[in-house]
Amino acid sequence: MLRDQIIVSLILLLFTACNNKQSKTKTVERARTIDIERELVIGLENEADSAAQILGQPVGVVTDKEENIYIGDKASLTIKVFDKDGNYLKSLGGRGRGPNEFHDINFMGVTPENNILVLDRGNFRYTTITKEGEYVSNYVIKFENQFYFKDADFIDNKIIGLAYSQASAIESDYSDLPKREFLKIMSTDLDEIEYEFAPLSDLEIDDTFSWVYTLLYQGSFTLNKESEIIYFSPGIYTGSIYSYKKVNDVEWELNNKIEGTSPYSNPYILYHSTAEYEENSEYPSARMIGYSGDSHKGRVHSIDAGIHFLPQRRQVVHFYGEWREGDVSMEDGNLLDLSVQIFDLDGNIVDQSFLYSLPYDRQPYYPIVNWVDEEENFYMIDFIDSTPVVRRFALDL
């Protein structure tokens, strides 16, 4: 009798394990319900254009009023310029330590004067040049106060940036992690921090791996038309984005936790031993992160891919990516499913759709959907046959 019970129990365990495995590896079919318009691929070589237009490692995109497209290329250390039809025009900058040269390109934005701001960690400075490539200014990054923007904008003649202090992370312990604040308002010479807000504790995550991962991959933010509300999407997308409202000339406070579309699978999982991590390290976005003398291990399934405010429609457009369900290793060809959700100003979802499957094995340090122009065209960093490109597209809303 006891033997029969043991056999039945083993069969049930085997059945449960099989079901769990099937559930774990299930792939959800996703249909595009929002049409794509005005699609253009930028950066592929063709017979009519020079090989100089090929992109090595694009990390940022901006446009101007003439609809010219500027792409910061980390590989060539230049800003490549294309016209609105994707034809290559010229390159700005180049490798070096001169006033308008770069030793690295990590972030690119536009100043109120319509100049280009570049974070150059290789030269340990922020460099501003005109859209003709002429030098404007350099701001040296201080060793004791290292802030590297992942996203930035300008408000009231100040810089508002998404960053954390690289210097303080080295000497920190776990106790202050929930207090770390992402958004910083700084003087335009980057010499003084006037206000900090948006701490990790607002994000309702409570383990060290996700805290430290979010410090590394902070996500993206956007301002509304009046520059009085900030919409912030953390690097790990859990189903929520957060809005902060301007209280006075300096201070901001959490205004709303906006519930978006839930990810198909858990946003991330934790590995509790080195052996468990090594067993899964070949899978997309598995990370072992060192922090304060310890290592923290996990795998992220769902990420922020860029958030943008559309002033004409007065809507917030949020992109997020999810690696395919199941244990699909990078060697097998890994795909990140990119989706979009549109919110009204009250935080209600107006529409939602799957858009593209992208060949990403790791979360990039920049938002994948990097820029939106005045005509509401979006600019996404993509790959075609392993060749990096920028894809311009519009949503039929």
Side-chain angles (χ1 to χ4, degrees):
M1 182 70 176
L2 179 60
R3 182 185 175 205
D4 292 341
Q5 290 176 342
I6 292 173
I7 291 173
V8 170
S9 298
L10 288 173
I11 292 172
L12 287 173
L13 284 172
L14 181 61
F15 178 78
T16 301
C18 290
N19 276 349
N20 286 341
K21 184 176 181 182
Q22 290 172 358
S23 175
K24 189 176 181 182
T25 59
K26 180 181 63 176
T27 299
V28 177
E29 294 298 327
R30 299 171 188 178
R32 182 189 289 172
T33 56
I34 297 177
D35 290 334
I36 298 296
E37 299 179 329
R38 304 197 297 271
E39 196 167 22
L40 174 70
V41 175
I42 304 164
L44 288 176
E45 183 181 11
N46 59 51
E47 295 179 359
D49 296 311
S50 167
Q53 73 171 325
I54 298 175
L55 303 174
Q57 188 180 355
V59 298
V61 184
V62 299
T63 57
D64 62 20
K65 292 182 179 179
E66 288 73 40
E67 300 181 66
N68 293 317
I69 303 158
Y70 301 76
I71 301 174
D73 187 15
K74 188 181 181 75
S76 66
L77 295 175
T78 61
I79 298 172
K80 296 181 182 290
V81 187
F82 300 81
D83 68 16
K84 64 180 181 180
D85 298 317
N87 300 308
Y88 173 76
L89 299 177
K90 59 185 175 180
S91 292
L92 311 178
R95 182 182 297 274
R97 300 191 182 276
N100 57 348
E101 296 175 327
F102 311 111
H103 205 62
D104 204 352
I105 296 178
N106 309 95
F107 162 79
M108 192 171 70
V110 178
T111 71
E113 296 78 26
N114 287 316
N115 295 320
I116 298 175
L117 174 69
V118 175
L119 167 58
D120 180 355
R121 292 184 65 166
N123 281 324
F124 221 57
R125 67 192 182 195
Y126 287 89
T127 294
T128 305
I129 63 173
T130 68
K131 289 180 177 175
E132 289 72 43
E134 299 172 351
Y135 168 77
V136 177
S137 61
N138 283 326
Y139 302 120
V140 177
I141 298 171
K142 296 181 179 180
F143 179 77
E144 69 276 9
N145 200 19
Q146 302 173 42
F147 289 99
Y148 303 108
F149 290 143
K150 298 294 181 67
D151 200 358
D153 208 333
F154 289 81
I155 178 173
D156 299 331
N157 295 317
K158 306 291 180 183
I159 295 178
I160 181 166
L162 184 61
Y164 81 103
S165 172
Q166 186 94 356
S168 63
I170 300 172
E171 57 196 25
S172 177
D173 58 24
Y174 303 145
S175 61
D176 80 328
L177 271 173
K179 302 175 185 177
R180 291 291 182 88
E181 293 169 310
F182 287 146
L183 287 163
K184 306 181 188 305
I185 296 178
M186 307 182 71
S187 56
T188 52
D189 60 4
L190 300 167
D191 191 55
E192 180 182 357
I193 300 174
E194 297 193 357
Y195 190 67
E196 299 179 78
F197 59 106
L200 271 170
S201 57
D202 284 352
L203 309 185
E204 300 177 0
I205 52 178
D206 56 4
D207 61 88
T208 306
F209 171 78
S210 60
W211 282 336
V212 180
Y213 193 98
T214 307
L215 287 177
L216 294 173
Y217 304 95
Q218 290 129 21
S220 59
F221 75 93
T222 188
L223 287 159
N224 72 344
K225 186 176 182 180
E226 295 77 20
S227 296
E228 61 183 14
I229 294 179
I230 292 171
Y231 299 91
F232 168 46
S233 173
I236 300 177
Y237 175 62
T238 62
S240 301
I241 60 177
Y242 302 82
S243 68
Y244 292 84
K245 188 173 184 179
K246 189 174 183 180
V247 179
N248 52 46
D249 290 342
V250 177
E251 296 181 323
W252 296 71
E253 66 179 12
L254 181 63
N255 178 56
N256 192 13
K257 177 186 174 184
I258 300 172
E259 297 295 345
T261 305
S262 297
Y264 279 103
S265 56
N266 291 332
Y268 65 94
I269 58 176
L270 302 178
Y271 299 136
H272 300 287
S273 68
T274 300
E276 186 181 5
Y277 165 75
E278 290 177 348
E279 185 181 349
N280 296 279
S281 61
E282 67 183 40
Y283 299 128
S285 207
R287 290 294 305 269
M288 179 186 291
I289 303 172
Y291 184 84
S292 194
D294 203 352
S295 61
H296 308 278
K297 301 161 283 288
R299 176 181 169 194
V300 174
H301 290 124
S302 176
I303 64 170
D304 166 71
I307 188 167
H308 304 277
F309 181 78
L310 302 184
Q312 297 177 30
R313 295 181 179 273
R314 298 189 66 81
Q315 292 176 331
V316 177
V317 178
H318 177 239
F319 299 89
Y320 61 96
E322 298 177 85
W323 277 281
R324 291 285 176 92
E325 291 83 357
D327 291 334
V328 180
S329 70
M330 290 178 279
E331 294 179 356
D332 295 332
N334 187 46
L335 291 176
L336 179 74
D337 288 329
L338 183 73
S339 297
V340 64
Q341 53 188 342
I342 296 94
F343 297 91
D344 63 22
L345 297 186
D346 295 323
N348 303 308
I349 294 181
V350 176
D351 207 345
Q352 190 273 344
S353 176
F354 161 78
L355 292 179
Y356 297 96
S357 290
L358 308 176
Y360 273 87
D361 290 331
R362 289 285 187 269
Q363 177 163 354
Y365 284 96
Y366 46 80
I368 293 174
V369 183
N370 203 262
W371 181 259
V372 61
D373 64 22
E374 294 182 356
E375 301 299 319
E376 298 184 354
N377 297 305
F378 297 95
Y379 296 79
M380 175 178 70
I381 298 173
D382 194 2
F383 296 86
I384 295 179
D385 296 330
S386 300
T387 299
V389 298
V390 168
R391 185 183 300 274
R392 186 184 71 192
F393 66 93
L395 303 173
D396 183 11
L397 302 177

